[in-house]
Amino acid sequence: MKIIVTGGLGFIGSQMIRWALDTVPDVQIINVDSLTYAGNPANVAGYSEDPRYRWEAVSITDHDALEPLFADRSVDAVINFAAESHVDRSIMSGAPFVTTNVLGTQILLELARKYHVPRFLHVSTDEVYGSLGATGLFSETTPLNPNSPYSASKAAADMLVLAAFRTHQQDVVITRCSNNYGPYQFPEKLIPLFVTNGLEGQPWPLYGDGLNVRDWLHVSDHVRAIWMVLTEGHRGEIYNIGGHNEQSNRAVAEELQRILGLPSSVMVAVKDRLGHDRRYAIDSQKITKELGWEPLIPWQEGLRQTVSWYQTHQNWWKAIKSGSYRDYYAHQYGACNL
Ligand code: NAD
Ligand code: TDX
């Protein structure tokens, strides 16, 4: 089975590649990743010499560079992970989000259609549904109501994927997952930011009152679900993926404090994210009933393993934090007096 995986040098895409090469003997992977700030070849270290794997440093917005990868008609599936993925960055500048997440997805869809790729799996997010109040869950039929430039660009991409199904009967499937955590997550996101700041003796910037809620899922549970949808999901369908694991940001921070043995003073209240979605929570009954998927990694165990990974892989994140990421961090948190 020959698959084009886009964004395979990022957090979730690299987990997908490592899992597939470990688990699926006849898989062949072309990793299309243009290596933005979030991509890192070290995320597939130990796998890049595998003859079943190759990396193409191409943007999903570059139609002409992509076309030869599709032209021999031997590709069985596309899994589209490539995206600008960080909400705070989209608040600073939304244009790259529109270019990659919207235009890039449409270009991939058109090439997959032209060269008769049998399946196109688009990796989306629960953020397209907007924000919940204190109760309720997002189901696949919840209307799209995105609030940030990031989530608006993801929602636009979802609509283009569904349009390809309705207009051309193209075989597409969409997954919408809740917040992921695990190894190799870029340290701009909540959990790796707090863990690595904790290991460096730096404070934890908790936005607003710290009571915004996310539904956390281990990244390995997410990629298992994606594989099930790829191989068994029904064309034209959307599958929500969630962890049944709602946590406020303050509760996440308190759990990390316990694991790392840090005092509560490590948390510093900073100004809130603009347009900060209050609560996400996923109803994932459909994927469970239709495909038999369930999360396997318990939250506290997964979080401990994740902290341990960051403790034993300091070279990985220190290389990131000592580079151009420092400019982003200074810009994002400088005004917060950290
Ligand atoms: P990430 O930011 O860690 O990785 C994104 C990858 O895409 C990087 O390797 C980057 O180099 C690559 N990329 C960016 N623009 C590109 C372009 N134009 N062409 C080719 N490659 C490009 O992201 P992630 O957290 O791994 O998220 C992967 C996907 O999963 C995204 O589509 C995101 O919306 C979705 N998602 C993420 C989460 C989460 O919690 N992280 C949850 C649900 C859905
Ligand atoms: O410094 C911080 N302080 C803080 O309080 C950061 C970076 C975040 N937060 C809060 C904001 C959110 O309520 O923590 C929560 C999680 O924030 P992020 O890690 O930035 O994730 P989120 O905005 O929820 O989006 C993530 O999940 C859905 C991914 O980044 C998206 O790509 C995915 O679609």
Side-chain angles (χ1 to χ4, degrees), residues 111-128:
L111 284 167
R113 189 160 69 245
K114 179 172 177 186
Y115 292 105
H116 305 285
V117 176
R119 173 139 283 195
F120 188 100
L121 187 149
H122 180 68
V123 180
S124 186
T125 170
D126 61 357
E127 300 203 14
V128 296

Side-chain angles (χ1 to χ4, degrees), residues 7 9-13 32-36 38-39 58-60 81-83 85 100 123-125 150 154 177-180 185:
L9 296 180
F11 166 47
I12 308 173
V32 173
D33 192 306
S34 59
L35 200 58
T36 69
V58 167
S59 170
I60 63 167
F81 290 97
S85 71
T100 286
V123 180
S124 186
T125 170
Y150 163 70
K154 293 294 289 186
C177 190
S178 59
N179 284 58
N180 283 211
Q185 188 169 26

Side-chain angles (χ1 to χ4, degrees), residues 84-88 124-127 150 154 177-180 185 188-191 193-194 204-208 210 212-214 216 249 270 273 276-277 280 328 332-333:
E84 290 293 336
S85 71
H86 193 40
V87 174
D88 291 322
S124 186
T125 170
D126 61 357
E127 300 203 14
Y150 163 70
K154 293 294 289 186
C177 190
S178 59
N179 284 58
N180 283 211
Q185 188 169 26
E188 65 192 351
K189 306 287 181 1
L190 178 76
I191 289 177
L193 177 69
F194 281 17
W204 294 355
L206 193 63
Y207 295 164
N212 300 65
V213 170
R214 300 292 183 263
W216 292 96
N249 296 332
V270 299
R273 172 184 281 176
H276 196 175
D277 285 339
Y280 304 144
Y328 164 78
Q332 174 68 10
Y333 299 104

Side-chain angles (χ1 to χ4, degrees), residues 175-227:
T175 56
R176 292 184 180 146
C177 190
S178 59
N179 284 58
N180 283 211
Y181 71 98
Y184 298 100
Q185 188 169 26
F186 196 87
E188 65 192 351
K189 306 287 181 1
L190 178 76
I191 289 177
L193 177 69
F194 281 17
V195 173
T196 58
N197 274 13
L199 295 173
E200 287 182 310
Q202 299 295 320
W204 294 355
L206 193 63
Y207 295 164
D209 62 7
L211 297 179
N212 300 65
V213 170
R214 300 292 183 263
D215 175 357
W216 292 96
L217 180 74
H218 194 275
V219 64
S220 63
D221 281 327
H222 185 186
V223 306
R224 237 179 357 93
I226 287 173
W227 191 260

Side-chain angles (χ1 to χ4, degrees), residues 9-50:
L9 296 180
F11 166 47
I12 308 173
S14 69
Q15 176 77 27
M16 183 84 249
I17 288 172
R18 296 190 305 273
W19 181 90
L21 291 172
D22 282 343
T23 315
V24 186
D26 71 338
V27 79
Q28 287 179 59
I29 292 172
I30 303 174
N31 177 9
V32 173
D33 192 306
S34 59
L35 200 58
T36 69
Y37 79 92
N40 190 344
N43 295 2
V44 291
Y47 292 81
S48 51
E49 303 304 315
D50 190 313

